[in-house]
Amino acid sequence: MRRLWTTATGRTALACGLVGILVALAWSVIIPPLQVPDEPLHFAYVQELATTATPAGSLDEQPLSSELSAAMSALGFSRTIGNATGRGPWSGLEAHLLRQTVGEHRSASDGGGRTGVSPQPPAYYLLGAVPYLAADAAGGDVLDRLQAVRALSALLAGLAVFFIFLFIAELLPGRRVAAATGALAVAFQPMVGFLGGGVSADNLMSAAAAALFFGLARAFRRGLSLRLALGIGAAIGGGLVSKLTFVGIVPGAVLGLLILIARLPRGERLRLAAAAAGPAVVPLLVYVGLGATVWDHGLNDPGVAARAGGGVAAGHGPTMSGRIAYWLQSYLPRPWFVDDLIPGRVAAYNIWFKSWVGNFGWLDYRFPSWVTGAAIGVWLVLVALVGRAVVVGRAALSRRRAELLVYAVMVLGLTVVIAKPAYEYRLQTGFAFEQLRYLFPLLALYGAVVALAVRGAGRWGREVAVAIVGLAVAHTIFAAVLTIGRYYA
Amino acid sequence: MKRSVAAVLAVVLAGIVAGLVLILAQREPRLAGSGTVAPAAFIGDVEPGGTTCMTVAAVPGGTARMRALIGTYGAPAARLSAELTAAGRVVASAPATDHRTGITDFVLEPPLRRDVATVRVCIANEGAAKVAVAGAPSANPKLPGTPSFTWYRAGEQSGAALVPKVAQRAGAGRGAGSAWLVLAFVLLVGAGVGALVWVARGVRE
């Protein structure tokens, strides 16, 4: 801990993390209550844990508490989402009704039923219960408690940015400006700030994933120590009980640990393997144990699917070839031999790139399309700079191919884990399932790509760094203006 | 700081300022309050001489125009009027005029000066052909859907003229004071400019 203050790298990481917190905190105030995707469901989970000490997911209870439902109604929630001219309470009349509604006593503990997020493990929601109860003890109403949990998300977003800086500093040692640029590009990516300003378990998963990438990069560069083994294990363990999607990057991390352990002297291997495995597995075991005995909540909780009798239409069931085809075209241009399962020749552009530019609220407002065109131009320049950095540094990259293989397997694993439910959802409903936030466990790699572009600029690195951070800052400021226009103008 | 770095920094900051100025200077029709529902589909017809009505919880003060989405079944225009009543008396109306298919505005007389609660909104078809009205279909096919109405202020306003209102609305929307949104935006811009200058100085402490 002391080295964070005494080394320049540590202080720079702290500064980047602080920027991440401030940006997400600003977003948490700019976004109206409950306008982040699934925020009512995430908040309901926090509320249930805070008020009853049990996770959400009971079949006998309503999904949302009476208090939260009343607040949603007074906030004009249903007329706002998906309605371009839908707004919250603007007028004095509606504002008075809102204040009256949240000021009245209603039960906060009669929710907890099954929802789309109730199958998720409880780590984020347990953490969220702390600010929730603190705001409650201070006499805060339901909107104050929501804001308190949003502040926790902002802290986690900052933590992710902090670890991303440290990861890049290990991966590309030498130029702090490049690492800071990568971390700040993440902090000012508007979808990161938007999510960091809302109540969502993705924030803990992103922080855990960033810590895991940092641990692995440091161990590959300096060798696996006891402390690093414990840290990597803790990041895996924390991530696994934050959101189920995290499981996608675990195989790659395990591969990394195996490679690192194989590089150790024989006598050290077992001890450090146990040091990593312990914290990786214990949180999951505790969760599964509590779920099976006290909570009636576990990894098999089917969520809303149980209530809705969810399943795919007869004759349109998922197939293995369909899964592979869907996975391929979700991320790459569709090969000619693959069935067209997603509209558009390059589905990844529509699914991921346009969302990277910005798809805010309940996915109901975006930038004008010319902004996406301009973003393509920016990315072409970035890709060219990354290409130059790769060519110049190919010898160094070649020496680190084992580490790069590990990151590639982590990417592969996450994409497979996302594509599986996405394929089934699309078969069931015809609609897209994917959201950019599902890729947030890979934010560290996004930051590294940006840092690599700064490296690729050679002696113009500082100028390119300023341009990249400037574009990211402009991107987030205009996204905030767009958000203000969407809800308040 | 190197001259070239300072130049990039200046261009970036100037670009952000120019963008904000453009947005603040932009004049366009502005909402007076929330629309009812999104116009997802045409939910029903108004026959010639007929009327369609719905009761809305409130019509916001400042409303001078009511916007709806209509379909004329190929006719060049439909002759429609509108009437808003509350507590048994007419609070505003739009006389019969020709409206073309698509998004159409009913100019209300008089404009509403303050919020009016529980308003019955009626659109009358005074033409010779039926007209379709858009809104949100009902989950129960036996029940009518909800028509989509949006409330607009008179004329056009610039973004700058709207700033005090925006701050007030943000406060109203979270049951808090109006300064929070301004503070949050200043924090965001401050963090951005601070980070930019920091990178331009080479991440020096």
Side-chain angles (χ1 to χ4, degrees):
Chain A
M1 249 347 235
R2 213 182 64 225
R3 277 168 60 187
L4 278 177
W5 299 103
T6 54
T7 64
T9 300
R11 287 192 294 271
T12 310
L14 285 172
C16 288
L18 179 66
V19 171
I21 292 172
L22 294 179
V23 170
L25 265 182
W27 274 105
S28 80
V29 177
I30 290 168
I31 312 161
L34 309 174
Q35 289 300 326
V36 173
D38 297 337
E39 193 173 27
L41 310 183
H42 291 293
F43 183 70
Y45 199 146
V46 172
Q47 191 172 48
E48 180 68 4
L49 260 172
T51 54
T52 68
T54 52
S58 164
L59 263 180
D60 313 324
E61 290 175 298
Q62 56 189 4
L64 310 178
S65 70
S66 302
E67 184 189 51
L68 182 56
S69 297
M72 286 171 74
S73 179
L75 284 164
F77 175 79
S78 59
R79 77 180 181 211
T80 307
I81 61 166
N83 179 12
T85 61
R87 300 290 186 271
W90 274 7
S91 67
L93 204 71
E94 289 177 316
H96 173 72
L97 180 70
L98 175 64
R99 281 196 298 274
Q100 193 180 30
T101 303
V102 298
E104 288 168 355
H105 177 75
R106 285 185 178 79
S107 176
S109 59
D110 61 347
R114 282 190 168 161
T115 68
V117 306
S118 63
Q120 296 298 341
Y124 172 81
Y125 309 103
L126 275 169
L127 284 177
V130 176
Y132 179 98
L133 290 171
D136 194 35
D141 60 36
V142 64
L143 298 181
D144 298 327
R145 283 174 261 146
L146 177 80
Q147 185 58 43
V149 185
R150 280 183 167 189
L152 166 78
S153 290
L155 280 176
L156 292 171
L159 191 65
V161 173
F162 167 82
F163 280 120
I164 287 169
F165 172 83
L166 291 176
F167 165 69
I168 303 169
E170 292 293 340
L171 192 69
L172 305 167
R175 284 181 72 171
R176 266 189 300 139
V177 171
T181 303
L184 292 173
V186 173
F188 286 105
Q189 209 298 327
M191 293 304 290
V192 174
F194 182 83
L195 194 74
V199 178
S200 173
D202 291 84
N203 291 303
L204 180 58
M205 179 173 67
S206 301
L212 176 58
F213 272 102
F214 162 60
L216 287 169
R218 193 171 175 91
F220 269 105
R221 188 165 162 226
R222 303 169 189 228
L224 188 65
S225 64
L226 177 63
R227 210 189 247 182
L228 276 173
L230 287 167
I232 290 169
I236 294 174
L240 282 174
V241 290
S242 65
K243 194 175 174 190
L244 295 173
T245 319
F246 189 87
V247 77
I249 61 172
V250 171
V254 170
L255 173 67
L257 276 170
L258 289 174
I259 294 170
L260 289 163
I261 288 167
R263 290 177 180 178
L264 294 169
R266 269 184 196 281
E268 286 284 285
R269 288 178 185 170
L270 197 59
R271 189 172 71 98
L272 293 195
V281 174
V282 166
L284 198 62
L285 290 179
V286 170
Y287 164 51
V288 171
L290 281 172
T293 54
V294 184
W295 281 341
D296 190 22
H297 187 278
L299 293 172
N300 292 326
D301 186 327
V304 280
R307 200 175 43 197
V312 290
H316 295 89
T319 59
M320 184 49 73
S321 61
R323 286 185 200 286
I324 294 168
Y326 189 92
W327 170 76
L328 269 175
Q329 61 195 282
S330 304
Y331 301 100
L332 300 167
R334 181 168 58 83
W336 76 95
F337 56 86
V338 161
D339 288 343
D340 187 1
L341 294 170
I342 311 173
R345 180 74 193 158
V346 187
Y349 170 74
N350 291 320
I351 295 174
W352 306 115
F353 189 77
K354 284 184 176 175
S355 297
W356 175 88
V357 173
N359 195 5
F360 303 96
W362 282 68
L363 313 180
D364 55 12
Y365 64 101
R366 296 164 171 263
F367 281 107
S369 54
W370 67 263
V371 178
T372 311
I376 292 173
V378 171
W379 269 99
L380 287 176
V381 175
L382 283 181
V383 168
L385 289 171
V386 169
R388 185 176 181 273
V390 168
V391 170
V392 171
R394 59 187 179 280
L397 284 174
S398 171
R399 283 194 297 275
R400 300 174 70 173
R401 54 186 178 274
E403 183 183 359
L404 297 177
L405 173 72
V406 166
Y407 301 147
V409 174
M410 290 168 85
V411 172
L412 186 73
L414 187 70
T415 59
V416 169
V417 164
I418 294 168
K420 182 183 178 294
Y423 169 57
E424 289 164 8
Y425 186 81
R426 202 178 274 268
L427 280 183
Q428 232 177 310
T429 67
F431 292 113
F433 169 87
E434 298 90 341
Q435 293 180 41
L436 186 71
R437 62 192 166 104
Y438 301 156
L439 291 180
F440 280 6
L442 305 178
L443 280 173
L445 295 179
Y446 167 65
V449 166
V450 171
L452 209 52
V454 174
R455 286 289 189 91
R459 69 189 183 90
W460 297 103
R462 181 91 64 86
E463 287 81 352
V464 168
V466 173
I468 289 173
V469 175
L471 283 169
V473 168
H475 194 182
T476 218
I477 286 175
F478 290 112
V481 171
L482 188 74
T483 299
I484 289 168
R486 165 68 177 87
Y487 294 112
Y488 311 121
Chain B
M1 196 185 300
K2 267 168 69 184
R3 263 194 190 173
S4 52
V5 174
V8 176
L9 179 64
V11 167
V12 167
L13 291 175
I16 292 172
V17 171
L20 289 175
V21 168
L22 269 178
I23 289 168
L24 287 172
Q26 198 171 0
R27 294 180 69 83
E28 57 185 64
R30 304 288 181 173
L31 288 172
S34 178
T36 50
V37 291
F42 285 107
I43 55 167
D45 293 335
V46 192
E47 298 296 334
T51 303
T52 184
C53 296
M54 84 168 278
T55 300
V56 297
V59 177
T63 297
R65 285 178 296 135
M66 179 179 82
R67 182 167 286 182
L69 175 62
I70 62 161
T72 61
Y73 291 98
R79 193 157 185 80
L80 301 170
S81 65
E83 194 171 79
L84 277 62
T85 54
R89 66 180 189 87
V90 176
V91 292
S93 61
T97 45
D98 288 342
H99 295 263
R100 278 193 276 183
T101 196
I103 292 170
T104 189
D105 284 349
F106 294 86
V107 180
L108 299 174
E109 279 297 332
L112 299 179
R113 280 192 296 181
R114 59 187 61 151
D115 303 338
V116 184
T118 321
V119 180
R120 189 164 173 77
V121 181
C122 293
I123 294 179
N125 183 353
E126 300 186 22
K130 67 179 180 179
V131 175
V133 177
S138 169
N140 181 347
K142 289 181 183 167
L143 295 174
T146 309
S148 170
F149 297 129
T150 312
W151 317 106
Y152 279 86
R153 290 150 66 100
E156 295 181 338
Q157 282 85 41
S158 70
L162 226 58
V163 168
K165 274 253 176 237
V166 161
Q168 178 206 324
R169 288 164 181 169
R174 57 174 59 237
S178 57
W180 283 105
L181 182 75
V182 178
L183 282 175
F185 193 72
V186 168
L187 178 67
L188 190 66
V189 174
V193 173
L196 252 174
V197 172
W198 185 49
V199 172
R201 289 164 56 94
V203 200
R204 279 200 216 114
E205 295 165 68

